[in-house]
Amino acid sequence: DSLLQEMMEVDSSATDWPGRWSNISKILERRGPLTPPSFQPSPDLLPFLLENIHVLVVGAGGLGCELLKNLAMMGFRNISVIDMDTIDLSNLNRQFLFRQKDVGRFKAEVAAEFINNRIPLCKVTPHNCKIQDFDEDFYRGFHLVVCGLDSIVARRWINGMLLSMLEWDDDTGELDKSTIVPLVDGGTEGFKGNARVIYPGVNACIDCTLDLFPPQVNFPLCTIAHTPRLPEHCVEYSRVLLWPKEKPYGEETTIDGDDPQHISWIYEKARERAEQFGIQGVTYRLTQGVVKHIIPAVASTNAVIAAACATEVFKVVTSCCNPLNNYMVFNDSEGIYTYVYEQEKNPDCLACSKVPQKLEFLPTTKLQEVLDHLMNSPMYQMKGPGVTTSIGGKNKTLYMQIPASIEEATRKNLKLSLAELGLSDGCQLVVADTTSPAAVVFELKFKTD
């Protein structure tokens, strides 16, 4: 393994050799049957691509490894990659930038090392952290963002961040095109996949098409608590019921699917539950899959979708061909099927519509019912909303999940009606959630019986 790694490494200080970029140059230095009228071929485009373009890759897993390899070999030399996850043994069958000796290390760090050693003059900068750890200034430093994520929440957060960076002309109301950072997003699920190109503020964003994402599988609480039949029921029992009760890592610690200690604790409790009811099949890998809602990945699907995304990145950056407009689906479960269509903007989109959002409820509606609506509605799909408002000119926290002290102090409000909380028709509710970097302001409208 070490000998193979040594053979694959090259002198990273080497300069470009003659003909290295000849195929790329042919695309950038001459017109073709698919080039748009606006494209101006030039020998200056290649140096611009090699030296000036900065691309952010979000995710260094199955899609991320393919994306990093493709982008680096297409001439993108200034790449940053964000991933907070560490390498697991099960990753090695498809995440080819990693070796067995890398198990336990950060994916972003190892992926960057591999690409930097393998592809001369390419500089991949790793960030072993959450996307939420960076502010707007960081994301403004990139010409384009490409995502290879397995999380809807993370997709929505990135989408919200890029939307929040947009600026509009005060006089004309026109969008300042220079503030747009395009987003190329890819996703896979078994033998199915999709790729899309998003120009924030211009075409359909992630939140415009929330209904496209498959619903998360939830098991009835009564089954989990009293009549478990599947190994997944045992895992959910540990996650949903035992964790909040036993608080193994402290009052304010929520479950982190990427923390091996958290997964191990849930796994051990689930195994005990399974033995009690004679259920087979509880494994560490299954536990992690249930907690993180992981669907088994197929390497060939990752390769196809990553290739499509990398091609779109090249098209967006160079303008040598019109980009995807704007959504491509791929399915090779029975033969090969692919289809491209244009997703339309949702005029009432929570993230990009700039239309004031309204919530209509009866004055007798309980606060808990409002939060349930925000979490279960196909339009909002929030994960753990916190709500504040202003009453009589003073800010009031109606409910907040974190920190635990505020959650405990505001828990009683969940059982109170909107009228009992002092809310009135037309007042504003400010809702914060992990699906967006910015709070969403709703206008409360009271319905009549």
Side-chain angles (χ1 to χ4, degrees):
D1 190 56
S2 60
L3 178 61
L4 177 64
Q5 181 79 11
E6 195 173 307
M7 291 171 62
M8 293 179 70
E9 290 182 0
V10 297
D11 181 6
S12 59
S13 63
T15 57
D16 284 337
W17 53 89
R20 181 181 182 185
W21 303 111
S22 59
N23 290 322
I24 298 293
S25 296
K26 290 174 183 176
I27 298 173
L28 300 179
E29 295 180 13
R30 62 187 186 186
R31 300 190 63 82
L34 299 179
T35 53
S38 59
F39 176 65
Q40 297 297 324
S42 170
D44 296 330
L45 287 175
L46 179 61
F48 176 74
L49 174 72
L50 295 175
E51 307 299 336
N52 297 100
I53 297 297
H54 289 74
V55 177
L56 174 65
V57 176
V58 184
L63 270 177
C65 285
E66 293 276 0
L67 283 167
L68 288 169
K69 176 260 294 181
N70 290 347
L71 293 172
M73 296 186 73
M74 292 175 77
F76 293 93
R77 286 178 170 169
N78 299 297
I79 305 172
S80 292
V81 57
I82 300 179
D83 199 310
M84 61 175 285
D85 205 358
T86 54
I87 299 166
D88 183 72
L89 185 64
S90 63
N91 301 147
L92 302 186
N93 71 328
R94 63 193 181 281
Q95 298 174 23
F96 53 84
L97 300 183
F98 312 139
R99 300 293 180 265
Q100 192 159 349
K101 64 181 175 62
D102 300 320
V103 170
R105 295 182 63 196
F106 283 107
K107 288 184 177 181
E109 183 179 12
V110 176
E113 286 179 5
F114 193 106
I115 295 293
N116 291 339
N117 289 332
R118 183 70 181 85
I119 302 178
L121 301 178
C122 185
K123 182 184 178 184
V124 180
T125 304
H127 300 281
N128 310 316
C129 58
K130 298 179 180 180
I131 53 175
Q132 293 87 349
D133 291 345
F134 291 108
D135 59 13
E136 186 177 300
D137 291 338
F138 172 80
Y139 291 101
R140 284 190 186 278
F142 299 96
H143 295 92
L144 185 141
V145 177
V146 55
C147 288
L149 291 164
D150 59 1
S151 165
I152 298 173
V153 174
R155 275 190 179 89
R156 294 179 67 184
W157 195 93
I158 282 288
N159 179 70
M161 171 56 74
L162 298 183
L163 286 168
S164 71
M165 291 159 46
L166 299 177
E167 295 179 5
W168 309 78
D169 188 283
D170 293 334
D171 298 324
T172 64
E174 292 292 320
L175 174 63
D176 181 354
K177 298 270 178 69
S178 67
T179 62
I180 296 175
V181 176
L183 172 64
V184 177
D185 177 59
T188 64
E189 182 182 285
F191 290 100
K192 301 175 183 178
N194 68 80
R196 64 192 303 182
V197 176
I198 296 172
Y199 288 93
V202 177
N203 62 358
C205 75
I206 296 290
D207 277 43
C208 285
T209 55
L210 273 183
D211 57 334
L212 291 177
F213 294 108
Q216 302 290 353
V217 177
N218 294 307
F219 301 105
L221 193 60
C222 56
T223 301
I224 295 170
H226 303 295
T227 55
R229 299 183 300 277
L230 301 172
E232 290 85 354
H233 293 162
C234 301
V235 176
E236 286 292 86
Y237 176 82
S238 304
R239 183 181 73 87
V240 176
L241 298 177
L242 289 187
W243 183 281
K245 181 180 178 181
E246 299 188 15
K247 302 179 176 66
Y249 294 98
E251 287 280 344
E252 299 183 10
T253 305
T254 57
I255 296 174
D256 182 354
D258 295 308
D259 189 323
Q261 289 184 313
H262 291 195
I263 298 297
S264 296
W265 187 91
I266 295 172
Y267 165 60
E268 291 299 330
K269 295 296 181 181
R271 202 159 55 84
E272 293 173 10
R273 178 78 167 172
E275 290 175 1
Q276 181 183 349
F277 285 87
I279 297 172
Q280 303 293 322
V282 174
T283 64
Y284 182 91
R285 187 174 181 181
L286 174 84
T287 302
Q288 190 175 41
V290 172
V291 171
K292 297 181 67 178
H293 301 287
I294 294 174
I295 295 171
V298 177
S300 58
T301 311
N302 286 337
V304 171
I305 297 303
C309 289
T311 302
E312 294 308 318
V313 171
F314 186 83
K315 287 155 65 176
V316 169
V317 167
T318 64
S319 300
C320 66
C321 185
N322 287 324
L324 181 71
N325 186 27
N326 50 20
Y327 197 99
M328 184 271 286
V329 293
F330 172 81
N331 188 340
D332 65 345
S333 54
E334 295 181 11
I336 295 179
Y337 171 80
T338 183
Y339 178 69
V340 175
Y341 68 100
E342 182 179 0
Q343 275 287 349
E344 296 183 358
K345 288 188 70 173
N346 179 356
D348 298 318
C349 175
L350 185 67
C352 72
S353 67
K354 298 184 69 178
V355 174
Q357 301 293 321
K358 292 183 180 180
L359 287 175
E360 293 190 359
F361 290 100
L362 294 169
T364 54
T365 302
K366 300 289 192 290
L367 180 62
Q368 180 67 68
E369 296 176 59
V370 176
L371 298 184
D372 290 343
H373 173 72
L374 292 174
M375 289 187 287
N376 298 326
S377 166
M379 182 175 180
Y380 303 128
Q381 297 187 33
M382 295 186 177
K383 298 302 175 185
V387 187
T388 61
T389 190
S390 178
I391 299 176
K394 295 183 179 179
N395 289 333
K396 179 179 180 180
T397 300
L398 299 179
Y399 181 73
M400 200 72 67
Q401 283 195 357
I402 299 174
S405 57
I406 296 181
E407 195 282 331
E408 186 176 352
T410 58
R411 192 183 305 156
K412 61 182 183 294
N413 292 340
L414 295 175
K415 298 180 180 179
L416 298 178
S417 70
L418 300 179
E420 290 170 336
L421 289 168
L423 300 177
S424 58
D425 184 68
C427 73
Q428 289 187 337
L429 299 179
V430 181
V431 180
D433 189 66
T434 55
T435 56
S436 174
V440 181
V441 179
F442 290 90
E443 181 183 348
L444 180 63
K445 301 294 290 183
F446 280 160
K447 296 190 295 186
T448 56
D449 291 327

